[in-house]
Amino acid sequence: MLGLWGQRFPSVWVLLLLPFLPLLLPAAPASHSASYKPVIVVHGLFDSSYSFRHLLEYINETHPGTVVTVLDLFDGRESLRPLWEQVQGFREAVVPIMAKAPEGVHLICYSQGGLVCRALLSVMDEHNVDSFISLSSPQMGQYGDTDYLKWLFPTSMRSNLYRICYSPWGQEFSICNYWHDPHHDDLYLNASSFLALINGERDHPNATAWRKNFLRVGRLVLIGGPDDGVITPWQSSFFGFYDANETVLEMEEQLVYLRDSFGLKTLLARGAIVRCPMAGIAHTAWHSNRTLYETCIEPWLS
């Protein structure tokens, strides 16, 4: 009798089971594109977006659906343009990307690009950067003879390059914007139109606002290593640098940290600085080394 009733009124059973269908049916696969924040990549000196094809491949493989933008600005020799000019250009490029990402974005900034990105974080009042990943970037400056310098200034060596870099003419070259001669600190402080300002080493009317903006970042990831071969000293990637005797002082010994001039000490106190040193990687291989990506970059691309 019950079976006959069920045959005659199958719709009754369907109606009774409707509330339980979500429990009976398999769950739909999660959407990866909705779960990962967009990634913005900024290249370094003499680079272009093509240099980051391996990094793009790694991100797509491990975080499928992630929107990755490798900014194609100031490529090749154009990367020698003054850094404030580059900051303005990159700012115009990242604003619309950030506007479409209310949950925030990640920055991966390589070499000279790491300084461009730090300036961006300083001057942008409403940036929404979650992880700022500084990839082998001379954050405390550069003081070393490299092939780049020999090509650009063939008759100068690091001991006398300050004569060029600390002149108004020299400050028109990006590399001179972060040339940091520990034997001529007064000249550096007075002449540097970029690094001394974003470090808060020289007073300027925007210092308080820039520090507040920088501290909006969720996390600062510092990556570098002793076999880099270009960043000199290599500890500059971790905010270490030479004293007047060319002894390297670590970040916690630097005046910019002790004075908390742009927020480093505050970031460290809140556990927002990650240091990831890795040996055996040359400067041009940081963005293509798979082990480095898996160890130092991928964990912070939420």
Side-chain angles (χ1 to χ4, degrees):
M1 190 70 177
L2 182 60
L4 180 62
W5 185 84
Q7 292 173 8
R8 290 179 178 175
F9 303 100
S11 60
V12 175
W13 292 106
V14 172
L15 291 172
L16 290 173
L17 288 172
L18 277 176
F20 301 98
L21 282 177
L23 300 177
L24 299 174
L25 296 173
S31 171
H32 290 292
S33 60
S35 58
Y36 295 124
K37 297 179 177 69
V39 175
I40 302 170
V41 181
V42 176
H43 67 72
L45 190 65
F46 299 128
D47 269 333
S48 69
S49 58
Y50 180 74
S51 303
F52 296 86
R53 61 195 182 280
H54 298 295
L55 178 63
L56 184 61
E57 174 188 329
Y58 301 155
I59 296 173
N60 287 334
E61 182 181 328
T62 60
H63 286 189
T66 301
V67 177
V68 183
T69 304
V70 185
L71 295 175
D72 201 12
L73 295 170
F74 299 100
D75 294 353
R77 293 189 182 188
E78 286 297 301
S79 63
L80 288 169
R81 302 291 299 170
L83 286 186
W84 282 122
E85 181 181 327
Q86 296 192 43
V87 169
Q88 181 59 33
F90 281 108
R91 181 178 186 172
E92 293 171 3
V94 304
V95 165
I97 300 173
M98 292 180 179
K100 295 177 183 177
E103 298 301 315
V105 302
H106 300 304
L107 287 182
I108 301 177
C109 309
Y110 167 64
S111 195
Q112 178 177 279
L115 290 168
V116 171
C117 288
R118 182 150 70 91
L120 284 173
L121 296 182
S122 299
V123 302
M124 296 182 70
D125 295 338
E126 300 297 330
H127 77 75
N128 59 352
V129 175
D130 184 7
S131 294
F132 165 31
I133 300 173
S134 173
L135 185 57
S136 188
S137 175
Q139 291 292 351
M140 276 298 287
Q142 171 77 4
Y143 183 66
D145 292 321
T146 65
D147 290 339
Y148 298 122
L149 281 177
K150 291 173 184 176
W151 176 83
L152 189 59
F153 304 114
T155 62
S156 298
M157 299 184 65
R158 72 172 189 168
S159 60
N160 60 20
L161 190 58
Y162 75 93
R163 299 179 187 275
I164 296 174
C165 279
Y166 296 157
S167 69
W169 174 78
Q171 287 295 299
E172 292 298 311
F173 292 91
S174 64
I175 194 168
C176 285
N177 292 158
Y178 51 94
W179 185 253
H180 191 174
D181 189 329
H183 304 293
H184 298 91
D185 206 47
D186 289 343
L187 289 176
Y188 158 74
L189 291 174
N190 290 323
S192 174
S193 63
F194 183 84
L195 185 61
L197 296 181
I198 65 171
N199 277 356
E201 294 173 289
R202 192 167 82 228
D203 290 336
H204 60 92
N206 298 313
T208 300
W210 287 8
R211 183 180 183 278
K212 180 180 178 181
N213 293 341
F214 181 72
L215 288 172
R216 290 175 60 88
V217 71
R219 183 183 301 105
L220 171 60
V221 181
L222 303 173
I223 302 171
D227 301 306
D228 180 273
V230 171
I231 306 302
T232 311
W234 67 269
Q235 293 92 337
S236 183
S237 295
F238 300 92
F239 287 98
F241 205 71
Y242 294 129
D243 64 9
N245 297 315
E246 295 192 29
T247 299
V248 174
L249 303 180
E250 301 299 336
M251 179 181 78
E252 288 85 348
E253 301 173 279
Q254 297 292 330
L255 282 179
V256 296
Y257 175 86
L258 296 171
R259 295 172 178 170
D260 206 17
S261 58
F262 66 94
L264 272 184
K265 192 173 185 179
T266 297
L267 281 183
L268 188 65
R270 77 180 192 210
I273 294 181
V274 176
R275 285 176 271 204
C276 193
M278 187 168 287
I281 302 180
H283 189 68
T284 56
W286 288 104
H287 40 64
S288 60
N289 186 287
R290 182 63 184 251
T291 300
L292 181 279
Y293 169 77
E294 293 176 347
T295 304
C296 300
I297 298 177
E298 193 272 336
W300 311 112
L301 301 181
S302 56

